Amino acid sequence: MPNQQNSELSVLTVPAFNDNYLWVIHDGQHAAVVDPGDAGPIRDALSQHGLTLTAILLTHHHADHIGGVPSLLAHTQVPVFGPRYDGIEGITQALGEGERITVPGLALELEVLDVPGHTLGHIAYVRRTPGAHWLFCGDTLFAGGCGRLFEGTPAQMADSLAKLAALPDDTLVYCAHEYTVSNLRFAQAVEPDNHGVALRMRDATAKRGTRLPTVPSTIGLERGTNPFLRYTEPGIVKSLVDAGRLKSGASPVDAFAALREWKNVF
Ligand SMILES: [Zn+2]
């Protein structure tokens, strides 16, 4: 569990299930957990680091993001922050676009963005402290990819990703799954001339060879190498047209939809 220092707050990477990451934000004493799909690894991380849970933050309603909440609350009562419109029971503070929270127990202010697409009510949390820009984006933006469109439309997801892409380049992207190598394999197929993708693939493959996480990434890296933030690039449009997945002259949203559908079967 690498421990990334950032100002006085740190973020623990807690692996769970096959490829999930649960995030524990802490100051050495108090901790908030993001998307605790499984309580066991969270309890282990808290006890290993001598931390007291003071808040739970949720991005969307899928079980691998909320499944551990009842078990965590059985031992301690803490506020549960989450999306207003994603149908999650037990949220004590419902949140939506533009709202700001101070996380109980921590000197941590977060801003909420609505990012529908993967689910309709999905939200993301942004820390805008100078020198410490963080993004907790659940299953919306991944390293080298994006979440599947289970509920929203391609236009909604494209808008959500555009919001995240507009964050500062040095924003650390704490996404919820280790999908990077397979995402980059797709990125190489749709944008073979992007040297940044090839470099990133080499780096990610080396990290995974020693079981190191490839996340967090940064918004700057995603903007340069993630095809789902680059679907208007002529090279990507040409790949879509050459593969028979897009008519030439189609709209950017059509290109985004075609890219997402291609990835679904890649
Ligand atoms: Zn999900």
Side-chain angles (χ1 to χ4, degrees), residues 60 62 64-65 118-119 139 150:
H60 69 291
H62 287 157
D64 61 324
H65 295 253
H118 178 70
T119 68
D139 288 350
F150 286 122

Side-chain angles (χ1 to χ4, degrees), residues 6-132:
N6 209 323
S7 302
E8 299 90 33
L9 294 174
S10 303
V11 181
L12 295 172
T13 308
V14 181
F17 308 117
N18 284 335
D19 51 34
N20 283 69
Y21 291 126
L22 323 179
W23 303 109
V24 174
I25 311 167
H26 73 93
D27 62 3
Q29 192 176 1
H30 298 128
V33 59
V34 183
D35 283 356
D38 192 0
I42 293 297
R43 270 199 291 273
D44 291 347
L46 294 174
S47 90
Q48 185 187 339
H49 293 267
L51 302 170
T52 302
L53 187 68
T54 53
I56 294 172
L57 306 171
L58 305 176
T59 63
H60 69 291
H61 70 79
H62 287 157
D64 61 324
H65 295 253
I66 66 171
V69 173
S71 175
L72 290 172
L73 292 178
H75 297 86
T76 175
Q77 285 301 311
V78 298
V80 180
F81 298 84
R84 181 166 291 123
Y85 302 116
D86 222 36
I88 304 172
E89 284 179 26
I91 288 175
T92 59
Q93 190 165 342
L95 298 169
E97 179 77 18
E99 290 179 75
R100 292 164 193 275
I101 58 170
T102 299
V103 178
L106 297 175
L108 174 62
E109 297 201 353
L110 296 172
E111 181 184 326
V112 175
L113 298 176
D114 285 339
V115 286
H118 178 70
T119 68
L120 282 177
H122 202 305
I123 61 171
Y125 299 90
V126 179
R127 185 188 193 201
R128 293 185 187 269
T129 305

